[in-house]
mmCIF file of all heavy atoms in Angstrom:
data_model
loop_
_atom_site.group_PDB
_atom_site.id
_atom_site.type_symbol
_atom_site.label_atom_id
_atom_site.label_comp_id
_atom_site.label_asym_id
_atom_site.label_seq_id
_atom_site.Cartn_x
_atom_site.Cartn_y
_atom_site.Cartn_z
ATOM 1 N N CYS A 1 126.501 120.928 110.024
ATOM 2 C CA CYS A 1 127.476 121.963 110.232
ATOM 3 C C CYS A 1 128.880 121.669 109.873
ATOM 4 O O CYS A 1 129.338 120.656 110.340
ATOM 5 C CB CYS A 1 127.469 122.444 111.702
ATOM 6 S SG CYS A 1 126.297 123.711 112.099
ATOM 7 N N GLU A 2 129.455 122.413 109.036
ATOM 8 C CA GLU A 2 130.895 122.331 108.746
ATOM 9 C C GLU A 2 131.519 123.454 109.569
ATOM 10 O O GLU A 2 131.102 124.618 109.381
ATOM 11 C CB GLU A 2 131.236 122.360 107.351
ATOM 12 C CG GLU A 2 132.709 122.408 107.041
ATOM 13 C CD GLU A 2 133.038 122.500 105.481
ATOM 14 O OE1 GLU A 2 132.122 122.798 104.752
ATOM 15 O OE2 GLU A 2 134.196 122.450 105.178
ATOM 16 N N VAL A 3 132.463 123.110 110.423
ATOM 17 C CA VAL A 3 133.148 124.134 111.356
ATOM 18 C C VAL A 3 134.589 124.057 111.041
ATOM 19 O O VAL A 3 135.264 123.100 111.131
ATOM 20 C CB VAL A 3 132.813 123.816 112.775
ATOM 21 C CG1 VAL A 3 133.377 124.881 113.693
ATOM 22 C CG2 VAL A 3 131.339 123.690 113.092
ATOM 23 N N ARG A 4 135.141 125.265 110.719
ATOM 24 C CA ARG A 4 136.572 125.430 110.355
ATOM 25 C C ARG A 4 137.188 126.612 110.972
ATOM 26 O O ARG A 4 136.546 127.572 111.348
ATOM 27 C CB ARG A 4 136.540 125.651 108.797
ATOM 28 C CG ARG A 4 135.974 124.569 107.932
ATOM 29 C CD ARG A 4 136.808 123.313 107.695
ATOM 30 N NE ARG A 4 138.104 123.704 107.284
ATOM 31 C CZ ARG A 4 138.573 123.824 106.028
ATOM 32 N NH1 ARG A 4 137.698 123.721 105.055
ATOM 33 N NH2 ARG A 4 139.847 124.187 105.738
ATOM 34 N N VAL A 5 138.471 126.452 111.035
ATOM 35 C CA VAL A 5 139.360 127.608 111.428
ATOM 36 C C VAL A 5 140.094 128.139 110.024
ATOM 37 O O VAL A 5 140.913 127.278 109.492
ATOM 38 C CB VAL A 5 140.398 127.368 112.494
ATOM 39 C CG1 VAL A 5 141.345 128.478 112.693
ATOM 40 C CG2 VAL A 5 139.681 126.912 113.772
ATOM 41 N N ILE A 6 139.831 129.285 109.593
ATOM 42 C CA ILE A 6 140.422 129.802 108.354
ATOM 43 C C ILE A 6 140.600 131.296 108.600
ATOM 44 O O ILE A 6 139.727 132.029 108.969
ATOM 45 C CB ILE A 6 139.559 129.579 107.144
ATOM 46 C CG1 ILE A 6 139.194 128.116 106.993
ATOM 47 C CG2 ILE A 6 140.134 130.183 105.867
ATOM 48 C CD1 ILE A 6 138.190 127.791 105.801
ATOM 49 N N SER A 7 141.765 131.686 108.432
ATOM 50 C CA SER A 7 142.150 133.140 108.641
ATOM 51 C C SER A 7 142.176 133.912 107.320
ATOM 52 O O SER A 7 142.826 133.539 106.376
ATOM 53 C CB SER A 7 143.560 133.195 109.360
ATOM 54 O OG SER A 7 143.875 134.668 109.435
ATOM 55 N N ALA A 8 141.521 135.073 107.318
ATOM 56 C CA ALA A 8 141.515 135.891 106.141
ATOM 57 C C ALA A 8 142.950 136.439 105.838
ATOM 58 O O ALA A 8 143.280 136.522 104.672
ATOM 59 C CB ALA A 8 140.663 137.014 106.316
ATOM 60 N N HIS A 9 143.742 136.670 107.013
ATOM 61 C CA HIS A 9 145.059 137.177 106.734
ATOM 62 C C HIS A 9 146.159 136.165 106.671
ATOM 63 O O HIS A 9 147.163 136.326 106.098
ATOM 64 C CB HIS A 9 145.327 138.162 107.909
ATOM 65 C CG HIS A 9 144.298 139.282 107.948
ATOM 66 N ND1 HIS A 9 143.356 139.327 108.924
ATOM 67 C CD2 HIS A 9 144.064 140.233 107.119
ATOM 68 C CE1 HIS A 9 142.602 140.404 108.742
ATOM 69 N NE2 HIS A 9 143.010 140.946 107.597
ATOM 70 N N ARG A 10 146.085 135.070 107.572
ATOM 71 C CA ARG A 10 147.064 134.100 107.716
ATOM 72 C C ARG A 10 146.950 132.963 106.772
ATOM 73 O O ARG A 10 148.005 132.333 106.339
ATOM 74 C CB ARG A 10 147.250 133.642 109.090
ATOM 75 C CG ARG A 10 147.688 134.738 110.078
ATOM 76 C CD ARG A 10 147.521 134.347 111.457
ATOM 77 N NE ARG A 10 146.173 134.141 111.763
ATOM 78 C CZ ARG A 10 145.579 134.452 112.909
ATOM 79 N NH1 ARG A 10 146.243 134.985 113.757
ATOM 80 N NH2 ARG A 10 144.335 134.265 113.177
ATOM 81 N N THR A 11 145.698 132.739 106.218
ATOM 82 C CA THR A 11 145.550 131.583 105.263
ATOM 83 C C THR A 11 144.556 132.040 104.200
ATOM 84 O O THR A 11 143.465 131.518 103.966
ATOM 85 C CB THR A 11 144.923 130.278 105.982
ATOM 86 O OG1 THR A 11 143.711 130.633 106.608
ATOM 87 C CG2 THR A 11 145.874 129.727 106.982
ATOM 88 N N PRO A 12 144.954 133.119 103.446
ATOM 89 C CA PRO A 12 144.085 133.705 102.489
ATOM 90 C C PRO A 12 143.710 132.766 101.262
ATOM 91 O O PRO A 12 142.566 132.803 100.772
ATOM 92 C CB PRO A 12 144.776 134.970 101.937
ATOM 93 C CG PRO A 12 146.248 134.728 102.182
ATOM 94 C CD PRO A 12 146.279 133.867 103.540
ATOM 95 N N GLU A 13 144.621 131.934 100.875
ATOM 96 C CA GLU A 13 144.341 130.954 99.819
ATOM 97 C C GLU A 13 143.165 129.943 100.322
ATOM 98 O O GLU A 13 142.359 129.624 99.564
ATOM 99 C CB GLU A 13 145.625 130.179 99.417
ATOM 100 C CG GLU A 13 146.627 131.007 98.760
ATOM 101 C CD GLU A 13 147.567 131.734 99.737
ATOM 102 O OE1 GLU A 13 147.501 131.445 100.948
ATOM 103 O OE2 GLU A 13 148.333 132.607 99.400
ATOM 104 N N GLU A 14 143.264 129.534 101.456
ATOM 105 C CA GLU A 14 142.264 128.593 102.048
ATOM 106 C C GLU A 14 140.994 129.309 102.159
ATOM 107 O O GLU A 14 139.936 128.601 101.891
ATOM 108 C CB GLU A 14 142.774 128.046 103.410
ATOM 109 C CG GLU A 14 143.873 127.030 103.295
ATOM 110 C CD GLU A 14 145.234 127.672 103.286
ATOM 111 O OE1 GLU A 14 145.457 128.894 103.105
ATOM 112 O OE2 GLU A 14 146.226 126.845 103.531
ATOM 113 N N ALA A 15 141.007 130.499 102.587
ATOM 114 C CA ALA A 15 139.683 131.314 102.608
ATOM 115 C C ALA A 15 139.037 131.495 101.319
ATOM 116 O O ALA A 15 137.841 131.213 101.108
ATOM 117 C CB ALA A 15 139.910 132.670 103.264
ATOM 118 N N HIS A 16 139.830 131.747 100.238
ATOM 119 C CA HIS A 16 139.314 131.854 98.884
ATOM 120 C C HIS A 16 138.830 130.542 98.381
ATOM 121 O O HIS A 16 137.701 130.470 97.839
ATOM 122 C CB HIS A 16 140.368 132.376 97.970
ATOM 123 C CG HIS A 16 139.948 132.472 96.513
ATOM 124 N ND1 HIS A 16 140.035 131.551 95.671
ATOM 125 C CD2 HIS A 16 139.387 133.567 95.882
ATOM 126 C CE1 HIS A 16 139.660 131.840 94.461
ATOM 127 N NE2 HIS A 16 139.193 133.062 94.607
ATOM 128 N N GLU A 17 139.577 129.504 98.595
ATOM 129 C CA GLU A 17 139.191 128.068 98.171
ATOM 130 C C GLU A 17 137.896 127.696 98.882
ATOM 131 O O GLU A 17 136.878 127.216 98.200
ATOM 132 C CB GLU A 17 140.294 127.117 98.350
ATOM 133 C CG GLU A 17 140.017 125.841 97.918
ATOM 134 C CD GLU A 17 141.087 124.808 98.156
ATOM 135 O OE1 GLU A 17 142.271 125.143 98.190
ATOM 136 O OE2 GLU A 17 140.784 123.560 98.181
ATOM 137 N N PHE A 18 137.839 127.861 100.166
ATOM 138 C CA PHE A 18 136.683 127.500 100.905
ATOM 139 C C PHE A 18 135.413 128.177 100.421
ATOM 140 O O PHE A 18 134.363 127.587 100.110
ATOM 141 C CB PHE A 18 136.815 127.752 102.399
ATOM 142 C CG PHE A 18 135.583 127.617 103.151
ATOM 143 C CD1 PHE A 18 135.225 126.297 103.646
ATOM 144 C CD2 PHE A 18 134.748 128.621 103.470
ATOM 145 C CE1 PHE A 18 134.008 126.185 104.302
ATOM 146 C CE2 PHE A 18 133.544 128.429 104.203
ATOM 147 C CZ PHE A 18 133.228 127.188 104.610
ATOM 148 N N ALA A 19 135.450 129.480 100.223
ATOM 149 C CA ALA A 19 134.444 130.262 99.825
ATOM 150 C C ALA A 19 133.906 129.916 98.404
ATOM 151 O O ALA A 19 132.769 129.840 98.053
ATOM 152 C CB ALA A 19 134.676 131.784 99.897
ATOM 153 N N SER A 20 134.973 129.763 97.507
ATOM 154 C CA SER A 20 134.611 129.444 96.158
ATOM 155 C C SER A 20 133.964 128.050 95.956
ATOM 156 O O SER A 20 133.158 127.940 95.107
ATOM 157 C CB SER A 20 135.946 129.465 95.443
ATOM 158 O OG SER A 20 136.541 130.759 95.389
ATOM 159 N N ARG A 21 134.233 127.165 96.890
ATOM 160 C CA ARG A 21 133.654 125.734 96.747
ATOM 161 C C ARG A 21 132.456 125.555 97.730
ATOM 162 O O ARG A 21 131.877 124.502 97.614
ATOM 163 C CB ARG A 21 134.735 124.785 97.045
ATOM 164 C CG ARG A 21 135.864 124.777 96.029
ATOM 165 C CD ARG A 21 136.800 123.710 96.281
ATOM 166 N NE ARG A 21 137.907 123.787 95.266
ATOM 167 C CZ ARG A 21 138.874 122.945 95.163
ATOM 168 N NH1 ARG A 21 139.019 121.973 96.075
ATOM 169 N NH2 ARG A 21 139.745 123.098 94.280
ATOM 170 N N ALA A 22 132.105 126.530 98.560
ATOM 171 C CA ALA A 22 131.124 126.286 99.526
ATOM 172 C C ALA A 22 129.830 125.770 98.923
ATOM 173 O O ALA A 22 129.178 124.866 99.318
ATOM 174 C CB ALA A 22 130.899 127.553 100.429
ATOM 175 N N LYS A 23 129.305 126.622 97.982
ATOM 176 C CA LYS A 23 127.992 126.281 97.328
ATOM 177 C C LYS A 23 128.060 124.886 96.689
ATOM 178 O O LYS A 23 127.048 124.065 96.972
ATOM 179 C CB LYS A 23 127.677 127.317 96.268
ATOM 180 C CG LYS A 23 126.224 127.215 95.839
ATOM 181 C CD LYS A 23 125.874 128.455 94.960
ATOM 182 C CE LYS A 23 124.424 128.426 94.649
ATOM 183 N NZ LYS A 23 124.044 129.671 93.878
ATOM 184 N N ASP A 24 129.045 124.533 96.001
ATOM 185 C CA ASP A 24 129.194 123.126 95.322
ATOM 186 C C ASP A 24 129.356 122.160 96.371
ATOM 187 O O ASP A 24 128.825 121.010 96.139
ATOM 188 C CB ASP A 24 130.354 123.130 94.444
ATOM 189 C CG ASP A 24 130.250 123.909 93.152
ATOM 190 O OD1 ASP A 24 129.103 124.317 92.843
ATOM 191 O OD2 ASP A 24 131.356 124.363 92.613
ATOM 192 N N ASN A 25 129.727 122.475 97.680
ATOM 193 C CA ASN A 25 129.894 121.456 98.751
ATOM 194 C C ASN A 25 128.463 121.311 99.518
ATOM 195 O O ASN A 25 128.413 120.654 100.561
ATOM 196 C CB ASN A 25 130.936 121.846 99.634
ATOM 197 C CG ASN A 25 132.376 121.635 99.018
ATOM 198 O OD1 ASN A 25 132.483 120.774 98.140
ATOM 199 N ND2 ASN A 25 133.344 122.316 99.508
ATOM 200 N N GLY A 26 127.465 122.056 99.054
ATOM 201 C CA GLY A 26 126.135 121.863 99.671
ATOM 202 C C GLY A 26 125.876 122.916 100.754
ATOM 203 O O GLY A 26 124.780 122.905 101.339
ATOM 204 N N THR A 27 126.859 123.818 101.029
ATOM 205 C CA THR A 27 126.542 124.798 102.075
ATOM 206 C C THR A 27 125.546 125.788 101.515
ATOM 207 O O THR A 27 125.595 126.248 100.340
ATOM 208 C CB THR A 27 127.848 125.497 102.372
ATOM 209 O OG1 THR A 27 128.832 124.567 102.860
ATOM 210 C CG2 THR A 27 127.741 126.665 103.394
ATOM 211 N N GLU A 28 124.664 126.265 102.436
ATOM 212 C CA GLU A 28 123.648 127.200 102.047
ATOM 213 C C GLU A 28 123.758 128.579 102.794
ATOM 214 O O GLU A 28 123.132 129.540 102.317
ATOM 215 C CB GLU A 28 122.211 126.569 102.306
ATOM 216 C CG GLU A 28 122.060 125.306 101.387
ATOM 217 C CD GLU A 28 120.948 124.546 101.849
ATOM 218 O OE1 GLU A 28 120.955 123.803 102.737
ATOM 219 O OE2 GLU A 28 119.868 124.622 101.152
ATOM 220 N N VAL A 29 124.461 128.624 103.808
ATOM 221 C CA VAL A 29 124.642 129.923 104.542
ATOM 222 C C VAL A 29 126.017 129.743 105.359
ATOM 223 O O VAL A 29 126.301 128.587 105.848
ATOM 224 C CB VAL A 29 123.429 130.214 105.513
ATOM 225 C CG1 VAL A 29 123.296 129.166 106.542
ATOM 226 C CG2 VAL A 29 123.646 131.505 106.125
ATOM 227 N N ILE A 30 126.675 130.817 105.506
ATOM 228 C CA ILE A 30 128.025 130.779 106.131
ATOM 229 C C ILE A 30 128.107 131.837 107.308
ATOM 230 O O ILE A 30 127.692 132.990 107.023
ATOM 231 C CB ILE A 30 129.124 131.090 105.201
ATOM 232 C CG1 ILE A 30 129.125 130.118 104.039
ATOM 233 C CG2 ILE A 30 130.500 130.977 105.956
ATOM 234 C CD1 ILE A 30 129.997 130.469 102.846
ATOM 235 N N ILE A 31 128.384 131.448 108.503
ATOM 236 C CA ILE A 31 128.761 132.296 109.548
ATOM 237 C C ILE A 31 130.180 132.414 109.719
ATOM 238 O O ILE A 31 130.906 131.498 109.681
ATOM 239 C CB ILE A 31 128.181 131.688 110.915
ATOM 240 C CG1 ILE A 31 126.600 131.565 110.766
ATOM 241 C CG2 ILE A 31 128.548 132.566 112.126
ATOM 242 C CD1 ILE A 31 125.933 130.879 111.963
ATOM 243 N N CYS A 32 130.665 133.784 109.818
ATOM 244 C CA CYS A 32 132.109 134.029 109.966
ATOM 245 C C CYS A 32 132.363 134.784 111.170
ATOM 246 O O CYS A 32 131.850 135.883 111.349
ATOM 247 C CB CYS A 32 132.574 134.752 108.723
ATOM 248 S SG CYS A 32 132.516 133.892 107.116
ATOM 249 N N ALA A 33 133.076 134.201 112.113
ATOM 250 C CA ALA A 33 133.434 134.864 113.378
ATOM 251 C C ALA A 33 134.931 135.349 113.305
ATOM 252 O O ALA A 33 135.758 134.563 112.839
ATOM 253 C CB ALA A 33 133.315 133.820 114.533
ATOM 254 N N ALA A 34 135.053 136.625 113.638
ATOM 255 C CA ALA A 34 136.428 137.161 113.756
ATOM 256 C C ALA A 34 136.521 138.301 114.780
ATOM 257 O O ALA A 34 135.520 139.043 114.891
ATOM 258 C CB ALA A 34 136.909 137.576 112.356
ATOM 259 N N GLY A 35 137.721 138.591 115.236
ATOM 260 C CA GLY A 35 138.023 139.645 116.066
ATOM 261 C C GLY A 35 139.025 140.622 115.393
ATOM 262 O O GLY A 35 139.532 140.352 114.361
#
């Protein structure tokens, strides 16, 4: 498990980078928690 804090609104660049690289980093499924 890779567990991260990434905000769609406060860190959009990090969210985009994380998602874009997830598959190449070996991730196979992503759970996203938000309120």
Side-chain angles (χ1 to χ4, degrees):
C1 266
E2 178 180 3
V3 183
R4 300 280 309 274
V5 176
I6 301 173
S7 171
H9 302 109
R10 295 171 294 220
T11 59
E13 294 86 4
E14 287 84 346
H16 179 270
E17 182 179 337
F18 172 83
S20 298
R21 294 185 180 182
K23 192 171 186 177
D24 291 339
N25 289 336
T27 299
E28 296 169 284
V29 62
I30 303 170
I31 296 171
C32 294

